[in-house]
Amino acid sequence: MNTRASIVFCLSLLPVPAVAQSPIPSHYFGMHHNYALEWPTFHVGSRRSVVGPNWGGINPAEGTYNWQKLDNLLSALETRNADLLFNLGIYMPNWASSQPGLYCPDGNYGTCYPPKDMQTWETWVSAIVAHVREGLAPGAPGRIKYWELWNEPNDLGWWKGDMATMVDLARRAYRIIKAADPSAKIVTPGVYSAPWGGSYDGAKWTIDFLSACSTGDPCADIVAFHAYPSYDFSFGDAGALIAQGVIDPQAFPLMAEQSIIDPQKYKNIAATFGLEAVWNTEGGLGVWTNIPNATIYDVANPQTVKNWDLMAQYAVKATMLMQAGGVGRSYWYAYDNRLTGLLWQWSDDLQGTALNPAGVAYGLMAAHFNGATPVSPVARQETANAIRNPTASGAVVGQPGTMPTHWSVYKTDPGVNTAVVEVGTGYVDIRVWGTPSYNGLTYVLFEEAGVIASSLGKQWFGSFNQRLVGGSLDNVQVHVGVYEFSPGGPLTYSGAQTVPPTTLDHTLQRNLFMTPTRYPATASLVPVVAFQQVAGQAFDITLRLSSPHFDDGTRWIGTYSKPDNSSLILAWDSSGATSTLTVDPAYTQYQDLAGAFHPVSGNSVPLTLSPVFIIAGAP
C-alpha cells in the first residue's frame, strides 16, 4: 500500500513514573559478532558463540585443546559485564563425527551427524566445563553460565541424527554441567519455524524433543527458537519482490510485526513442559539490494543500495515486540554478516566501528531500552472483535453435532469425520478423524462468509485459545489463517501457519496470527482453524477451541519508564497509512530511527511504518 492517508487518533498518553515491574535486563540485548575486530559501539549484553570459538576450533584433534580464543572472548565480555551463550555442538570437529567423510549443507564434512560415540561427546563437554571453572570454588558459577545444546536440528543441514540420539546428547550434557555448576542453565537446541509444518517445523520438533525428555533425566531449562521472518508468504511472494530489487518497506507489510507469533507458540510449549523461560537465540533479516536478480557479490558489495530502512525498522520492532511478548533474551544475527542482519559498516580489513543505518537504529533502541521498565509494553492496539460469537455458545454435542452459533465446519473429503464431543463455558471440543481420500484440509470457521468485509491489502490480526484434549498430532497438522471470499463465493485459504497444540490448559494456550488481504476480488474473509491431512494416513485429534478474536487495529504503542524516571513511548502504525497519535504535553520531542529529533507540535506525533521514540523532557 503506497497511498498514505492521514487518520487522526486521539489518545492521551501520560508520562508515568517507574512502577513495580522488572526493568529490561542488560543481557536481553544479545548479539552474534563473528568477524569485525573491534567491539560494537552500542550496548551488547550477551554474545552467542557460533562461528567461533566453537568445538571444532577449540578441539581440532582428539585430546588437543586450544583455549586462547575462548579465554580472550570471556575476558572481553567480563570487562563489559556481558556474558556468553555457548553452543556445544555447532561445528563439531571432523575427527569427532560419526560420518567424517560425508558432506553437510553447512559447507563442512561430518558436522551435521552425531558424534562418533557418546564418550567423545562427554569428554568434550567435561573438558570445556572444567576449563571455564579453573580456579573457582566447587559449586561456584562458571565463567560460562548458559549452554545451548545444538543448532537447528529440525534442519537436515545441521542434524541428520534421530531424536533419541539428540535426547541422549542433551541428558549427558545436562548431567555434566549441572554436577559442576548447579546454577548453570541449559538451553534447548535452537530451531526455526516452518509455517506449513512438516519435518522442518521447529515448534513440533521442540514438542517432540521435550516429550521424549519428560520421562527420565531432564534435558534443558530454557526453550530456544530462532526468530526469522518465516511468515512473509502471508503478504505475497517476498522472494519474487527481493529478486526484482524491491527494498521499499511499504512492499513488505507485517515483516517485523509477525515476530510476535513464534514467541507465543514457544511460551505455550515451555509452560506445557515446565521450562522456565523462552529465548530467541538467533534472528535477523536478510540483506538484499535494489539490483534485480542480484548475485551474492552484489549483496556483499558495500557500494550497492541495500534494504537498510526495512532492516532498521525490523530490528527495532522485532526486538521490542519479542521482549514485550515474554522472550527473555534476543540474539541478533549478525552484527557483521554481510548477508544477514548486517549492522556494521563493513570494512575488508575488519577494522572500525562505523554503523550502517540499521546499526544506528539498533544502537538507539538499545540505548533507550536497556534498563527501562515496561509500564505498558509495546503491543498492538486492538479494535472491536469482528467475530460475533467468541464465547462458542450454541454448540450441541453430536456426530457431527451442532457447531457454535455462526461457526461452521467445511470439509469435502468423505473419509474425514467431525463431531462436537464436549461443550463447556466459553469453549467447544471438536473431534476430527478418519482416513483421508486425498491430501487436503478440513476447516473450522469462526464466522460466516460476508460478515467481515475486507479489501486488498487490509491488515487483519487474530488470536484464539486451544488445547489438545484427545488423539494426537500423528498424521495431521493444525493451522490457523483466513479464508478469503469474493461476492461470488470462496477464493482461497491464506495467511496460514502451523499452531501445534499441547495439553496445556486452553485458558493459558493462546495462539496469534496476522495477514493482509491478498486478492483483489476479496470482499470478505473468515478466520479459520484448519486440519491438514494426508491421503491414506489415518488420524484422530480432538481440540478444545475458545475465545477467538479478529480485528483490524494497526497501531502499536508501548510506554516505558527509564532509569532516570523519564518516560518514553515507542510507537508506529503498520497499515502503511499515516495516523496521528495525541500525547500529553510533557512529551516534547520524538526521535526517528536515524537519530534525528523532531518537536512535538500540538501534542500530536505522526505515526508511520517506521517506529519513533517519543520523549518526555530532554533526551
Side-chain angles (χ1 to χ4, degrees), residues 383-565:
T383 56
N385 191 357
I387 296 173
R388 290 177 293 173
N389 184 16
T391 61
S393 62
V396 179
V397 171
Q399 183 178 334
T402 301
M403 291 292 288
T405 306
H406 305 308
W407 296 25
S408 62
V409 169
Y410 177 74
K411 71 179 185 70
T412 59
D413 192 322
V416 175
N417 309 287
T418 66
V420 175
V421 296
E422 184 175 331
V423 175
T425 303
Y427 71 83
V428 60
D429 291 356
I430 300 172
R431 183 186 177 201
V432 184
W433 78 100
T435 302
S437 304
Y438 51 84
N439 296 341
L441 294 159
T442 297
Y443 302 94
V444 173
L445 287 70
F446 289 124
E447 190 47 89
E448 298 172 13
V451 172
I452 305 174
S454 192
S455 56
L456 179 65
K458 184 176 178 64
Q459 294 178 4
W460 290 94
F461 305 84
S463 60
F464 74 103
N465 287 44
Q466 66 173 343
R467 181 188 181 190
L468 179 65
V469 294
S472 73
L473 291 172
D474 294 343
N475 301 328
V476 64
Q477 294 174 9
V478 181
H479 290 254
V480 65
V482 300
Y483 215 106
E484 299 187 33
F485 291 83
S486 72
L491 287 170
T492 189
Y493 177 44
S494 64
Q497 56 164 293
T498 57
V499 283
T502 73
T503 56
L504 183 70
D505 187 271
H506 75 105
T507 61
L508 304 175
Q509 193 172 172
R510 195 79 173 156
N511 289 277
L512 310 174
F513 63 103
M514 62 184 69
T515 186
T517 306
R518 289 187 55 185
Y519 294 92
T522 297
S524 68
L525 43 69
V526 175
V528 303
V529 169
F531 301 83
Q532 184 178 17
Q533 58 247 4
V534 180
Q537 297 188 11
F539 74 98
D540 190 343
I541 185 171
T542 301
L543 280 192
R544 178 163 295 169
L545 299 175
S546 65
S547 306
H549 184 98
F550 196 61
D551 76 271
D552 60 357
T554 59
R555 290 187 306 148
W556 306 72
I557 302 169
T559 305
Y560 299 79
S561 176
K562 301 187 74 170
D564 63 1
N565 289 325

Side-chain angles (χ1 to χ4, degrees), residues 63-147:
T64 299
Y65 299 94
N66 183 350
W67 301 109
Q68 191 61 56
K69 288 185 178 179
L70 176 62
D71 291 343
N72 290 345
L73 175 58
L74 288 171
S75 294
L77 289 163
E78 287 161 357
T79 61
R80 294 169 172 84
N81 194 31
D83 62 32
L84 180 66
L85 171 62
F86 190 90
N87 190 294
L88 286 163
I90 198 167
Y91 297 124
M92 174 175 51
N94 185 260
W95 67 265
S97 175
S98 60
Q99 299 290 346
L102 296 184
Y103 181 78
C104 292
D106 67 0
N108 298 283
Y109 285 85
T111 51
C112 57
Y113 292 91
K116 61 183 180 180
D117 53 54
M118 287 298 163
Q119 184 58 56
T120 297
W121 173 252
E122 289 190 343
T123 299
W124 155 240
V125 176
S126 297
I128 189 170
V129 170
H131 179 75
V132 299
R133 296 190 54 75
E134 289 179 357
L136 299 176
R143 297 181 75 190
I144 297 178
K145 303 175 183 65
Y146 305 101
W147 305 86

